[in-house]
Amino acid sequence: MRIKELLCALLAAAALHASAQQGEDTAPNLPEHYAQRVELFNSEAPGSGHIVFLGDSITEGGAWGALLGDPSVINRGISGDNSFGVLRRLDEVVRLKPAKLFLLIGVNDLSKNIAPSVVTENISAIVKAVKAASPATRIYVQSLLPVDPGARDFMRQFDKGQDILDINAHLRKDAQALDYTFVDLYAQFADARARLDPRFGRDGLHLNEAGYRHWVDYLKTTHCL
């Protein structure tokens, strides 16, 4: 099966599951920004051997090339994106044939009350599709980060602490069966209250510069980079 056909089949299966959940909205939170970013990505010449960071606004906000001292690192984050959006645009990601792929996705799904089980099924579909299209790519599935509902400017729809824990537990459990490396960012960013450490956050959800440096330092410590 060609990659386009495989991706379509996986996306159709995910959409069918989601359609069974009444009232679910699977569109990205910022559809115009999503379309602009996808158009930009598709206009760029593909390469190979790169490190790719894939996800939503938390990924988009990272200056990965500067942080790693490697201008070839590719940022495929889109603010407002969710697991359905990643599935829809995955063909552009796999054509890069990255050496390493770092995935972080799911909190925007939760903001729309999409069930954790749907999120983890979509992440599994993403992993399987990448493996089918780019078998040499090493996949790192990163846990969702903690949030801090008490932070100034926190958006209440992201107050999903238990759902975040449920997704992370499932991602950890699936790592061996799906042959990816699970990266526990949650433990690195949680404070004593199991909330996003204010040293690393700016609104209880997104990271500041110190947060991104901490993220990269952890990836280096665990030999992911």
Side-chain angles (χ1 to χ4, degrees):
M1 183 181 290
R2 291 178 299 180
I3 182 57
K4 279 281 191 180
E5 295 169 344
L6 175 61
L7 290 174
C8 288
L10 290 169
L11 180 56
L16 181 62
H17 185 133
S19 67
Q21 312 294 322
Q22 286 188 346
E24 284 186 346
D25 175 7
T26 63
N29 284 350
L30 301 170
E32 290 184 5
H33 181 70
Y34 178 92
Q36 291 167 358
R37 291 281 283 178
V38 170
E39 183 178 2
L40 172 65
F41 299 158
N42 286 327
S43 71
E44 296 175 351
S48 62
H50 299 288
I51 295 173
V52 173
F53 284 81
L54 174 62
D56 51 34
S57 59
I58 298 173
T59 295
E60 184 178 351
W64 303 108
L67 286 164
L68 296 173
D70 181 357
S72 73
V73 177
I74 294 176
N75 188 331
R76 285 297 183 260
I78 300 182
S79 295
D81 203 5
N82 57 30
S83 60
F84 291 90
V86 170
L87 274 168
R88 292 186 187 100
R89 62 186 174 97
L90 198 55
D91 57 330
E92 186 277 326
V93 176
V94 296
R95 75 181 176 129
L96 299 171
K97 303 293 183 185
K100 295 182 178 182
L101 176 67
F102 290 87
L103 173 67
L104 172 56
I105 199 69
V107 73
N108 287 314
D109 299 73
L110 296 181
S111 77
K112 294 189 172 190
N113 297 318
I114 293 173
S117 61
V118 175
V119 179
T120 55
E121 286 189 11
N122 284 355
I123 291 173
S124 295
I126 292 166
V127 170
K128 291 174 182 176
V130 172
K131 286 187 170 296
S134 184
T137 298
R138 296 177 63 181
I139 302 173
Y140 298 83
V141 176
Q142 301 168 113
S143 71
L144 300 190
L145 299 174
V147 295
D148 182 6
R152 183 178 179 180
D153 298 326
F154 182 76
M155 294 173 282
R156 306 310 305 180
Q157 66 268 33
F158 292 96
D159 188 4
K160 301 288 183 177
Q162 186 56 55
D163 287 344
I164 288 171
L165 290 174
D166 291 345
I167 287 174
N168 289 344
H170 198 104
L171 296 178
R172 182 189 296 275
K173 180 176 66 68
D174 276 357
Q176 184 173 359
L178 294 178
D179 189 28
Y180 62 74
T181 299
F182 174 72
V183 181
D184 188 5
L185 293 180
Y186 186 97
Q188 300 303 312
F189 283 91
D191 64 12
R193 305 168 301 161
R195 294 184 174 189
L196 179 62
D197 191 321
R199 295 177 300 166
F200 304 130
R202 55 183 175 86
D203 57 5
L205 175 66
H206 298 97
L207 301 180
N208 57 24
E209 289 185 17
Y212 285 106
R213 289 195 299 270
H214 184 60
W215 186 345
V216 167
D217 287 345
Y218 179 63
L219 292 180
K220 290 179 177 179
T221 300
T222 54
H223 305 292
C224 295
L225 291 171

